Short mmCIF file of all heavy atoms in Angstrom, two decimals:
data_model
loop_
_atom_site.label_atom_id
_atom_site.label_comp_id
_atom_site.label_asym_id
_atom_site.label_seq_id
_atom_site.Cartn_x
_atom_site.Cartn_y
_atom_site.Cartn_z
N THR W 290 -18.99 21.54 -3.96
CA THR W 290 -17.80 21.45 -3.13
C THR W 290 -18.15 20.69 -1.86
O THR W 290 -19.31 20.61 -1.45
CB THR W 290 -17.28 22.84 -2.75
OG1 THR W 290 -18.30 23.55 -2.05
CG2 THR W 290 -16.87 23.62 -4.00
N GLY W 351 -20.28 11.87 2.94
CA GLY W 351 -20.63 11.59 1.55
C GLY W 351 -19.52 10.86 0.83
O GLY W 351 -18.36 10.84 1.29
N ASN W 359 -7.16 5.09 -17.78
CA ASN W 359 -6.19 4.03 -18.09
C ASN W 359 -5.91 3.13 -16.88
O ASN W 359 -4.77 2.72 -16.64
CB ASN W 359 -4.88 4.62 -18.61
CG ASN W 359 -5.08 5.40 -19.90
OD1 ASN W 359 -5.87 5.01 -20.76
ND2 ASN W 359 -4.37 6.51 -20.03
N VAL W 365 -12.08 6.76 -5.20
CA VAL W 365 -13.15 6.98 -4.23
C VAL W 365 -12.76 8.12 -3.31
O VAL W 365 -11.66 8.14 -2.75
CB VAL W 365 -13.42 5.72 -3.40
CG1 VAL W 365 -14.56 5.96 -2.42
CG2 VAL W 365 -13.73 4.53 -4.30
N GLY W 366 -13.64 9.10 -3.15
CA GLY W 366 -13.45 10.17 -2.19
C GLY W 366 -14.47 10.06 -1.07
O GLY W 366 -15.65 9.80 -1.33
N THR W 392 -11.63 10.78 20.71
CA THR W 392 -10.95 9.70 21.43
C THR W 392 -9.54 9.58 20.86
O THR W 392 -9.15 8.53 20.36
CB THR W 392 -11.71 8.38 21.30
OG1 THR W 392 -11.93 8.11 19.91
CG2 THR W 392 -13.03 8.43 22.02
N GLN W 397 -4.66 10.72 9.95
CA GLN W 397 -3.80 9.83 9.18
C GLN W 397 -4.07 8.37 9.51
O GLN W 397 -4.28 7.54 8.62
CB GLN W 397 -2.34 10.17 9.46
CG GLN W 397 -1.35 9.33 8.64
CD GLN W 397 0.08 9.78 8.83
OE1 GLN W 397 0.37 10.73 9.58
NE2 GLN W 397 1.00 9.13 8.14
N ASN W 409 -10.53 -5.26 3.32
CA ASN W 409 -10.60 -6.58 3.92
C ASN W 409 -12.02 -7.10 4.13
O ASN W 409 -12.20 -8.22 4.61
CB ASN W 409 -9.87 -6.58 5.26
CG ASN W 409 -8.38 -6.36 5.11
OD1 ASN W 409 -7.78 -6.81 4.14
ND2 ASN W 409 -7.78 -5.64 6.06
N ASN W 410 -13.02 -6.29 3.77
CA ASN W 410 -14.41 -6.71 4.05
C ASN W 410 -15.32 -6.47 2.84
O ASN W 410 -16.50 -6.14 3.00
CB ASN W 410 -14.96 -5.96 5.26
CG ASN W 410 -14.28 -6.34 6.55
OD1 ASN W 410 -14.64 -7.33 7.20
ND2 ASN W 410 -13.27 -5.57 6.94
N THR W 422 -30.39 -1.82 1.79
CA THR W 422 -31.78 -1.53 2.13
C THR W 422 -31.99 -1.51 3.64
O THR W 422 -32.74 -0.68 4.16
CB THR W 422 -32.71 -2.57 1.47
OG1 THR W 422 -32.58 -2.48 0.05
CG2 THR W 422 -34.15 -2.34 1.86
N PRO W 431 -41.91 9.35 1.97
CA PRO W 431 -42.18 10.28 0.87
C PRO W 431 -40.98 11.17 0.61
O PRO W 431 -40.30 11.61 1.55
CB PRO W 431 -43.37 11.09 1.39
CG PRO W 431 -43.26 11.01 2.87
CD PRO W 431 -42.68 9.66 3.19
N ASP W 436 -33.94 15.00 -11.26
CA ASP W 436 -32.93 14.73 -12.27
C ASP W 436 -33.08 15.87 -13.30
O ASP W 436 -32.74 16.99 -13.00
CB ASP W 436 -33.06 13.33 -12.88
CG ASP W 436 -34.51 12.97 -13.24
OD1 ASP W 436 -35.38 13.87 -13.30
OD2 ASP W 436 -34.76 11.79 -13.49
N SER W 439 -38.53 17.09 -11.73
CA SER W 439 -38.76 16.81 -10.32
C SER W 439 -39.94 15.86 -10.19
O SER W 439 -40.98 16.04 -10.84
CB SER W 439 -39.05 18.12 -9.57
OG SER W 439 -39.26 17.87 -8.20
N ILE W 457 -44.60 6.09 -7.83
CA ILE W 457 -45.22 7.33 -8.28
C ILE W 457 -46.54 6.99 -8.97
O ILE W 457 -46.56 6.23 -9.95
CB ILE W 457 -44.30 8.07 -9.26
CG1 ILE W 457 -42.95 8.40 -8.60
CG2 ILE W 457 -44.96 9.35 -9.78
CD1 ILE W 457 -41.92 8.99 -9.54
#
Side-chain angles (χ1 to χ4, degrees):
T290 59
N359 299 322
V365 181
T392 53
Q397 183 174 1
N409 294 325
N410 292 275
T422 298
D436 46 15
S439 181
I457 301 174

